[in-house]
Amino acid sequence: MDSNLLSNLIKSGESDILEFKKSTSQLKEAVMTLCGFLNHQGGSVLIGINNNGQILGQEISDNTRQEIARELSKVEPPVNINIQYKPLPNNKYLIIMQTPAGAHAPYVYDGRPFQRMQSTTSKMPQHRYEQMLVKRGQLNHVWEEAVVGGYSITSLDQEEILRTVTEGVRENRIPASALKENVEEVLQRMGLIWQGQIKRAAIVLFAKEIFPAFPQCMIKMARFQGTNKLGDFIDNQHIYANAFKILSEADIFLRRHLPIASNFSPNQLKRTDIPALPVLAIREALINAICHRDYANRSASISLAIYDDRLELWNNGSLPHELNIEALKNRHDSLPRNKLISKVFHARGYIETWGTGTNKMIEVCHQANLPEPDFEEYSGGFAVQFRFQKSLATKTPATNQEEQISNNLAAYPRLERIFTLLEEQKGLSATEIRILLSEPLAERTLRKDLATLKKMGFINSKGQARAKRWYRVKN
């Protein structure tokens, strides 16, 4: 900003687009104001000027710059704020922070939304915040339609694209002639490419490499010990991947950690093991989360959490204003937030276009004699909860996991690899096992795995401390 423009700006005084701050001791208030500008029509914050417009200046050090960067990182969705340090004759600086109106309002600072009214910054009322969230959701299809640089057709998983065509033809939702088309033609058919450039929707669906360009394409999965997040982790994973890879990884996680309900069929000696929750209902909820979430928010992800008594799935992005929680339990229209992404899932036969997803979850739970899933909106997102039967909920997670391992060791690839190594070798130390494993494994994790296999009766050990050797138990 040149000196004349800056001088005229200061003379104009504080307003709905300009704020003065005496020093960085008021940095938090300055960033609150920037958040208000982002949610309004943009504006400038000048640090080093008192309320009367007198230029005082501010001393600048590396710590000052780091402190400013740290506070600005608390603004979500992430946004670039233009910062200039203008030198003054007194060896101090005037800090100029400018932003246009945000493209993805509403913005929050440190978890709270702010608004700018005249020359005052205040907390945004909840109702106004919800209105802006709805508006952002309605514009989300613009996000998926935009083309993105740095990606090409070779950046996409072409095998997954061909599987989409094959499954679409089998479902009679893609014409058989598409089987003869090349990948670029298929992408054009699905509306995922424009003038040779890849659209964001194609990245979400098929990209081979997601991180760091698209950090929002991530699922957090955890198995907690207990009924809340204060319990210890039994397992905790963060997966950055395209939509279909996320589905696959979630399926593996569910098979590993869902409790098993066992029963004996009449006139049969063989025990039947089925998951405590209907996988079809959870899969429907996962696909809904992928298709309906707000991808414009780069800091959010899908969360899948399993507790002793329930499974909860959350995705960012609230319901369209035409729908509410009660409407989801009855007949309602399909209102996809991401039309291109939803179109591809529909083509593969994963979803319908009639708004039946939540009704299907309810029906499947009824068929399994389970409580209806609970739907809830919180933290700017949508959650589905599936509850276990009480008899299964009272089991400890260790007992459930032990039963699954003893019934099917192959469902736990890492444990199976350790067991196989000991099958091939008559006795190995923990260090030797770590060296022979194809994947790097922390010493603490290996000790835990060995203890689990020993408790299940698969392996045993001889010796103490460093002389301890592990071997496979006969029979």
Side-chain angles (χ1 to χ4, degrees):
M1 182 180 296
D2 65 54
S3 299
N4 290 333
L5 182 59
L6 178 61
S7 178
N8 291 333
L9 185 64
I10 294 172
K11 288 178 182 178
S12 67
E14 291 185 315
S15 65
D16 59 342
I17 59 169
L18 181 63
E19 177 90 344
F20 299 151
K21 294 297 178 188
K22 185 176 179 180
S23 70
T24 50
S25 64
Q26 299 175 299
L27 181 58
K28 292 182 182 295
E29 291 82 357
V31 182
M32 290 178 191
T33 297
L34 285 169
C35 181
F37 288 156
L38 284 164
N39 289 326
H40 184 45
Q41 56 179 328
S44 304
V45 174
L46 307 182
I47 299 179
I49 301 181
N50 64 18
N51 291 337
N52 297 322
Q54 180 184 2
I55 300 176
L56 305 174
Q58 161 80 41
E59 292 183 354
I60 300 294
S61 65
D62 287 341
N63 286 338
T64 307
R65 296 174 189 267
Q66 291 172 14
E67 185 184 6
I68 291 173
R70 191 160 49 245
E71 291 304 316
L72 291 178
S73 70
K74 297 178 183 179
V75 176
E76 295 181 340
V79 63
N80 289 325
I81 305 292
N82 181 31
I83 305 176
Q84 298 177 47
Y85 298 92
K86 189 172 183 62
L88 299 174
N90 59 359
N91 293 323
K92 294 184 179 181
Y93 291 83
L94 182 65
I95 304 174
I96 305 169
M97 297 194 287
Q98 295 177 295
T99 180
H104 301 297
Y107 290 81
V108 298
Y109 165 61
D110 206 13
R112 294 179 177 179
F114 294 88
Q115 63 182 5
R116 185 70 173 179
M117 302 289 288
Q118 299 299 321
S119 60
T120 302
T121 299
S122 61
K123 293 178 184 177
M124 182 181 291
Q126 181 68 23
H127 179 65
R128 175 59 179 156
Y129 178 64
E130 291 173 353
Q131 286 180 325
M132 295 184 76
L133 277 176
V134 169
K135 185 177 179 180
R136 184 170 74 183
Q138 292 172 338
L139 295 175
N140 195 68
H141 68 277
V142 176
W143 183 92
E144 66 167 354
E145 287 275 4
V147 297
V148 59
Y151 284 86
S152 65
I153 291 176
T154 58
S155 305
L156 307 180
D157 186 339
Q158 302 195 19
E159 290 185 7
E160 195 67 64
I161 295 172
L162 295 176
R163 268 194 294 273
T164 299
V165 175
T166 303
E167 292 182 11
V169 171
R170 187 170 62 241
E171 295 288 332
N172 291 320
R173 294 178 178 180
I174 294 179
S177 60
L179 293 170
K180 299 179 181 179
E181 295 176 345
N182 60 37
V183 171
E184 183 172 358
E185 290 170 332
V186 169
L187 293 173
Q188 287 176 339
R189 174 185 292 277
M190 294 187 289
L192 299 176
I193 194 170
W194 183 76
Q195 293 185 355
Q197 293 181 289
I198 305 298
K199 290 185 179 181
R200 286 172 173 162
I203 304 301
V204 171
L205 290 161
F206 300 120
K208 290 186 283 189
E209 297 292 337
I210 287 287
F211 191 80
F214 288 81
Q216 65 269 55
C217 295
M218 189 258 276
I219 183 168
K220 296 187 293 187
M221 300 181 290
R223 172 60 170 102
F224 292 94
Q225 188 167 5
T227 58
N228 56 52
K229 294 180 180 178
L230 299 177
D232 292 335
F233 286 113
I234 294 174
D235 196 357
N236 182 24
Q237 297 183 26
H238 291 189
I239 304 293
Y240 293 92
N242 66 46
F244 295 106
K245 179 66 173 175
I246 281 177
L247 267 183
S248 175
E249 292 292 335
D251 183 63
I252 293 170
F253 188 87
L254 290 169
R255 293 179 187 276
R256 184 182 303 136
H257 291 293
L258 277 183
I260 297 295
S262 302
N263 59 70
F264 289 89
S265 301
N267 303 320
Q268 288 188 4
L269 294 176
K270 187 177 180 181
R271 185 176 72 180
T272 303
D273 293 334
I274 59 173
L277 293 175
V279 175
L280 181 61
I282 302 172
R283 183 179 175 84
E284 188 74 28
L286 268 168
I287 293 172
N288 276 4
I290 291 171
C291 291
H292 294 286
R293 60 172 305 213
D294 178 9
Y295 286 96
N297 187 345
R298 287 168 54 87
S299 62
S301 63
I302 298 172
S303 299
L304 191 162
I306 301 177
Y307 304 91
D308 287 2
D309 61 344
R310 69 193 187 282
L311 179 150
E312 181 172 329
L313 187 71
W314 180 90
N315 66 278
N316 65 304
S318 54
L319 291 172
H321 68 275
E322 296 94 339
L323 294 177
N324 56 35
I325 297 298
E326 282 305 311
L328 298 178
K329 300 177 182 179
N330 301 293
R331 184 177 178 180
H332 60 274
D333 290 332
S334 175
L335 300 167
R337 177 178 275 111
N338 304 289
K339 295 182 180 179
L340 289 177
I341 295 170
S342 300
K343 181 180 178 181
V344 173
F345 273 89
H346 174 261
R348 289 181 71 150
Y350 286 16
I351 60 172
E352 300 299 332
T353 58
W354 305 101
T356 57
T358 50
N359 298 126
K360 185 185 292 185
M361 295 178 215
I362 294 171
E363 181 183 352
V364 172
C365 287
H366 282 168
Q367 292 172 352
N369 295 317
L370 290 169
E372 285 187 4
D374 295 321
F375 306 121
E376 186 180 359
E377 283 190 285
Y378 65 85
S379 299
F382 177 76
V384 184
Q385 286 187 2
F386 298 94
R387 296 194 173 273
F388 302 135
Q389 290 179 351
K390 289 185 178 180
S391 59
L392 286 166
T394 57
K395 291 186 178 182
T396 65
T399 300
N400 291 331
Q401 189 181 37
E402 289 164 12
E403 287 182 2
Q404 293 175 63
I405 295 172
S406 61
N407 291 335
N408 185 14
L409 182 61
Y412 296 80
R414 193 174 68 225
L415 296 182
E416 186 182 31
R417 284 195 290 274
I418 294 171
F419 179 73
T420 303
L421 281 175
L422 297 176
E423 182 179 7
E424 295 171 351
Q425 307 286 340
K426 291 190 176 181
L428 293 172
S429 68
T431 301
E432 289 170 335
I433 294 171
R434 289 181 67 197
I435 293 172
L436 290 171
L437 284 171
S438 57
E439 62 186 79
L441 197 62
E443 184 178 350
R444 180 181 177 184
T445 304
L446 178 59
R447 285 201 306 268
K448 184 178 178 181
D449 288 349
L450 290 170
T452 299
L453 287 169
K454 182 176 181 178
K455 190 174 182 180
M456 295 298 96
F458 286 109
I459 66 174
N460 211 332
S461 61
K462 291 180 180 178
Q464 297 294 327
R466 294 185 179 181
K468 182 182 289 186
R469 299 187 72 79
W470 296 87
Y471 60 93
R472 182 188 176 199
V473 174
K474 293 180 180 180
N475 302 324

